[in-house]
Amino acid sequence: MTMKLPPDFLETLRQPVLGEADLDTQSSFFSRKEVVDFYISATKSPDKNDVLRLAADQLPVLHPHRAALLALFCGALVEDGADPHLLFGAALELMAGLLASLEPFCATQPMEDDDDADSDELAEWQAANAALGALSAQERFEVEARQAAAALLVLPLMTMLMRDVRNHCALLADGELVARIDAMAVNDSLPIEGLHFLQGAAELTYEDELVVLLPASGTGMLVKAHAINNNFHAFSLLQKLMRKHAKALGIQPPEREAGANASRDTDCAEYLWLQADAFRNGELVDPMAWSWGEGSLRENARRQDRLVLVALDTQDKPSRSWNGFNRVLHSEQKSRVSLVRLLAPEEVAAYLA
């Protein structure tokens, strides 16, 4: 490895963090001459991946706020073409440590004048504020520095997360971290700006082999699903794909209003979308085994180790429409479904058995 982090850049990162003046914002950090000079040099270098490898060694030893700034610097290099996988593990570990240290100070404020307020929620709110109140001035500053670091870290994590499916798998593999993100994304005692983006990213689904069955025609397809927000989002994209392959699937898609487009943010169900458990021995046994629109696609039932959705063409279906569920979370999300292959009739029958 020929690339090295410049001494003046390292010196900046290693400066002590003792007071408000030491907390660079994204803007002030990237205004520093040593940062600008190194960034210009790194973007022109064919060895920019080496910067991320070197940074991975630095993140655990720097103050968390400085480490977050370094991750932000590397995120900018990822946007310029550096490998999004190289630093993700170290950055994720940094976020995990930050959230674990901040958790005792985070809670949601109970609604005022709510007679039905949850006693546990009230106790958590009081405990979080008591913990913050018990801190010395310097301890409070350190907590707030970590709060700022976590907020800074969201952007580079999202930059890397949305560009490499392996990173999404790594996030989901850390169930404790995902649970913390979910619990802390909306908190009133110590808000962490932008954390809800990671919460949304954790809910995305990537499936290489999603099974879609159409019992009425006895057909089906194997589909690759990429960065799907939720089931409503999947329905919109799948209905569009089914229209494209209607002849091969032996279906006659319902008429749609002029100008209707499933890629828009508002859409409606053309089928009764069910989970695999709705069928047994080829027969519909549970018409209420819906695939619930707001849920994550990956939470649907599986058969033969594959995620399964059933699109039942029936007049006896409730009207279902949605708005706001198809919006992209990030510019690099690039949500899509694509046909891998059509299923043979015996495969369809096996999945419905």
Short mmCIF file of all heavy atoms in Angstrom, two decimals, residues 207-210 212 221-226 228 237-238 241 244-245 335-341:
data_model
loop_
_atom_site.label_atom_id
_atom_site.label_comp_id
_atom_site.label_asym_id
_atom_site.label_seq_id
_atom_site.Cartn_x
_atom_site.Cartn_y
_atom_site.Cartn_z
N GLU A 207 -34.07 -9.41 -2.37
CA GLU A 207 -34.31 -10.85 -2.55
C GLU A 207 -33.90 -11.24 -3.97
O GLU A 207 -34.39 -10.68 -4.94
CB GLU A 207 -35.79 -11.20 -2.35
CG GLU A 207 -36.26 -11.19 -0.90
CD GLU A 207 -35.77 -12.40 -0.11
OE1 GLU A 207 -35.54 -13.47 -0.73
OE2 GLU A 207 -35.63 -12.28 1.11
N ASP A 208 -33.00 -12.21 -4.07
CA ASP A 208 -32.58 -12.68 -5.40
C ASP A 208 -33.61 -13.59 -6.04
O ASP A 208 -33.66 -13.70 -7.26
CB ASP A 208 -31.24 -13.42 -5.29
CG ASP A 208 -30.08 -12.48 -5.02
OD1 ASP A 208 -30.19 -11.28 -5.36
OD2 ASP A 208 -29.07 -12.93 -4.45
N GLU A 209 -34.43 -14.25 -5.20
CA GLU A 209 -35.39 -15.22 -5.73
C GLU A 209 -36.73 -15.12 -4.99
O GLU A 209 -37.05 -15.93 -4.13
CB GLU A 209 -34.83 -16.64 -5.64
CG GLU A 209 -33.61 -16.86 -6.52
CD GLU A 209 -33.11 -18.28 -6.50
OE1 GLU A 209 -33.24 -18.95 -5.44
OE2 GLU A 209 -32.60 -18.75 -7.53
N LEU A 210 -37.48 -14.09 -5.33
CA LEU A 210 -38.83 -13.91 -4.80
C LEU A 210 -39.81 -14.67 -5.69
O LEU A 210 -39.81 -14.50 -6.92
CB LEU A 210 -39.18 -12.42 -4.78
CG LEU A 210 -40.65 -12.04 -4.56
CD1 LEU A 210 -41.12 -12.46 -3.17
CD2 LEU A 210 -40.85 -10.55 -4.77
N VAL A 212 -43.49 -15.31 -7.06
CA VAL A 212 -44.80 -14.66 -7.22
C VAL A 212 -45.72 -15.65 -7.92
O VAL A 212 -45.43 -16.10 -9.03
CB VAL A 212 -44.69 -13.36 -8.04
CG1 VAL A 212 -46.07 -12.70 -8.16
CG2 VAL A 212 -43.70 -12.40 -7.39
N MET A 221 -43.81 -16.61 -11.34
CA MET A 221 -42.50 -16.16 -11.80
C MET A 221 -41.54 -16.04 -10.62
O MET A 221 -41.95 -15.84 -9.47
CB MET A 221 -42.60 -14.83 -12.55
CG MET A 221 -43.33 -13.72 -11.81
SD MET A 221 -43.55 -12.25 -12.87
CE MET A 221 -44.40 -11.17 -11.71
N LEU A 222 -40.28 -16.19 -10.95
CA LEU A 222 -39.20 -15.98 -10.01
C LEU A 222 -38.64 -14.60 -10.30
O LEU A 222 -38.31 -14.28 -11.45
CB LEU A 222 -38.12 -17.06 -10.19
CG LEU A 222 -37.19 -17.35 -9.01
CD1 LEU A 222 -38.00 -17.83 -7.81
CD2 LEU A 222 -36.15 -18.39 -9.39
N VAL A 223 -38.57 -13.77 -9.28
CA VAL A 223 -38.26 -12.36 -9.46
C VAL A 223 -37.10 -11.95 -8.56
O VAL A 223 -36.99 -12.41 -7.42
CB VAL A 223 -39.50 -11.50 -9.12
CG1 VAL A 223 -39.17 -10.02 -9.10
CG2 VAL A 223 -40.62 -11.78 -10.11
N LYS A 224 -36.25 -11.08 -9.08
CA LYS A 224 -35.21 -10.46 -8.25
C LYS A 224 -35.74 -9.11 -7.79
O LYS A 224 -36.14 -8.27 -8.61
CB LYS A 224 -33.91 -10.28 -9.02
CG LYS A 224 -32.78 -9.69 -8.17
CD LYS A 224 -31.45 -9.69 -8.92
CE LYS A 224 -30.33 -9.17 -8.02
NZ LYS A 224 -29.01 -9.23 -8.70
N ALA A 225 -35.76 -8.89 -6.47
CA ALA A 225 -36.28 -7.65 -5.90
C ALA A 225 -35.14 -6.89 -5.24
O ALA A 225 -34.41 -7.44 -4.41
CB ALA A 225 -37.38 -7.95 -4.89
N HIS A 226 -35.00 -5.62 -5.59
CA HIS A 226 -33.87 -4.82 -5.12
C HIS A 226 -34.37 -3.57 -4.38
O HIS A 226 -35.09 -2.75 -4.95
CB HIS A 226 -33.01 -4.40 -6.31
CG HIS A 226 -31.80 -3.58 -5.94
ND1 HIS A 226 -30.58 -4.15 -5.68
CD2 HIS A 226 -31.64 -2.24 -5.79
CE1 HIS A 226 -29.70 -3.19 -5.38
NE2 HIS A 226 -30.32 -2.03 -5.43
N ILE A 228 -36.55 -2.81 -1.79
CA ILE A 228 -37.99 -2.59 -1.73
C ILE A 228 -38.37 -2.05 -0.35
O ILE A 228 -38.03 -2.65 0.67
CB ILE A 228 -38.75 -3.90 -2.01
CG1 ILE A 228 -38.25 -4.55 -3.32
CG2 ILE A 228 -40.25 -3.64 -2.07
CD1 ILE A 228 -38.38 -3.68 -4.54
N LEU A 237 -44.52 -2.37 -7.95
CA LEU A 237 -43.50 -2.78 -8.91
C LEU A 237 -43.85 -4.12 -9.57
O LEU A 237 -43.64 -4.31 -10.78
CB LEU A 237 -42.14 -2.87 -8.22
CG LEU A 237 -41.57 -1.53 -7.72
CD1 LEU A 237 -40.30 -1.75 -6.90
CD2 LEU A 237 -41.28 -0.58 -8.87
N LEU A 238 -44.40 -5.04 -8.79
CA LEU A 238 -44.74 -6.35 -9.33
C LEU A 238 -45.92 -6.27 -10.30
O LEU A 238 -45.94 -6.95 -11.34
CB LEU A 238 -45.06 -7.33 -8.20
CG LEU A 238 -43.86 -7.79 -7.37
CD1 LEU A 238 -44.31 -8.57 -6.15
CD2 LEU A 238 -42.90 -8.64 -8.21
N LEU A 241 -44.58 -5.20 -13.51
CA LEU A 241 -43.85 -6.30 -14.16
C LEU A 241 -44.82 -7.33 -14.72
O LEU A 241 -44.60 -7.87 -15.82
CB LEU A 241 -42.91 -6.95 -13.14
CG LEU A 241 -42.00 -8.06 -13.66
CD1 LEU A 241 -40.96 -7.49 -14.64
CD2 LEU A 241 -41.28 -8.76 -12.51
N LYS A 244 -46.22 -6.27 -17.97
CA LYS A 244 -45.22 -6.41 -19.04
C LYS A 244 -45.18 -7.84 -19.57
O LYS A 244 -44.96 -8.08 -20.76
CB LYS A 244 -43.85 -5.99 -18.50
CG LYS A 244 -42.73 -6.07 -19.53
CD LYS A 244 -41.43 -5.58 -18.91
CE LYS A 244 -40.28 -5.67 -19.92
NZ LYS A 244 -38.99 -5.20 -19.33
N HIS A 245 -45.40 -8.82 -18.68
CA HIS A 245 -45.31 -10.23 -19.06
C HIS A 245 -46.68 -10.91 -19.00
O HIS A 245 -46.76 -12.13 -18.79
CB HIS A 245 -44.32 -10.95 -18.13
CG HIS A 245 -42.92 -10.41 -18.21
ND1 HIS A 245 -42.06 -10.71 -19.25
CD2 HIS A 245 -42.24 -9.56 -17.39
CE1 HIS A 245 -40.90 -10.09 -19.06
NE2 HIS A 245 -40.99 -9.38 -17.93
N SER A 335 -34.69 1.21 -6.54
CA SER A 335 -35.63 0.11 -6.33
C SER A 335 -36.11 -0.46 -7.66
O SER A 335 -36.43 0.29 -8.59
CB SER A 335 -36.84 0.59 -5.53
OG SER A 335 -36.44 1.10 -4.29
N ARG A 336 -36.18 -1.79 -7.74
CA ARG A 336 -36.62 -2.43 -8.98
C ARG A 336 -36.94 -3.89 -8.72
O ARG A 336 -36.47 -4.48 -7.75
CB ARG A 336 -35.56 -2.32 -10.07
CG ARG A 336 -34.22 -2.97 -9.71
CD ARG A 336 -33.13 -2.62 -10.70
NE ARG A 336 -31.85 -3.24 -10.36
CZ ARG A 336 -30.96 -2.68 -9.53
NH1 ARG A 336 -31.23 -1.52 -8.96
NH2 ARG A 336 -29.80 -3.29 -9.28
N VAL A 337 -37.75 -4.46 -9.61
CA VAL A 337 -37.95 -5.90 -9.67
C VAL A 337 -37.69 -6.33 -11.11
O VAL A 337 -38.02 -5.60 -12.04
CB VAL A 337 -39.38 -6.31 -9.22
CG1 VAL A 337 -39.60 -6.02 -7.75
CG2 VAL A 337 -40.45 -5.64 -10.07
N SER A 338 -37.12 -7.49 -11.27
CA SER A 338 -36.82 -7.98 -12.61
C SER A 338 -37.12 -9.47 -12.69
O SER A 338 -36.93 -10.20 -11.71
CB SER A 338 -35.36 -7.70 -13.00
OG SER A 338 -34.48 -8.25 -12.04
N LEU A 339 -37.58 -9.89 -13.83
CA LEU A 339 -37.93 -11.29 -14.03
C LEU A 339 -36.66 -12.14 -14.16
O LEU A 339 -35.81 -11.86 -15.01
CB LEU A 339 -38.78 -11.44 -15.31
CG LEU A 339 -39.20 -12.87 -15.67
CD1 LEU A 339 -40.15 -13.44 -14.62
CD2 LEU A 339 -39.85 -12.90 -17.05
N VAL A 340 -36.56 -13.15 -13.31
CA VAL A 340 -35.46 -14.12 -13.44
C VAL A 340 -35.88 -15.21 -14.43
O VAL A 340 -35.18 -15.49 -15.39
CB VAL A 340 -35.11 -14.72 -12.06
CG1 VAL A 340 -34.03 -15.79 -12.21
CG2 VAL A 340 -34.66 -13.63 -11.10
N ARG A 341 -37.06 -15.78 -14.18
CA ARG A 341 -37.63 -16.77 -15.11
C ARG A 341 -39.08 -17.04 -14.73
O ARG A 341 -39.51 -16.76 -13.60
CB ARG A 341 -36.83 -18.07 -15.09
CG ARG A 341 -36.86 -18.83 -13.78
CD ARG A 341 -36.12 -20.15 -13.87
NE ARG A 341 -36.06 -20.85 -12.59
CZ ARG A 341 -37.02 -21.65 -12.13
NH1 ARG A 341 -38.13 -21.84 -12.85
NH2 ARG A 341 -36.89 -22.26 -10.96
#
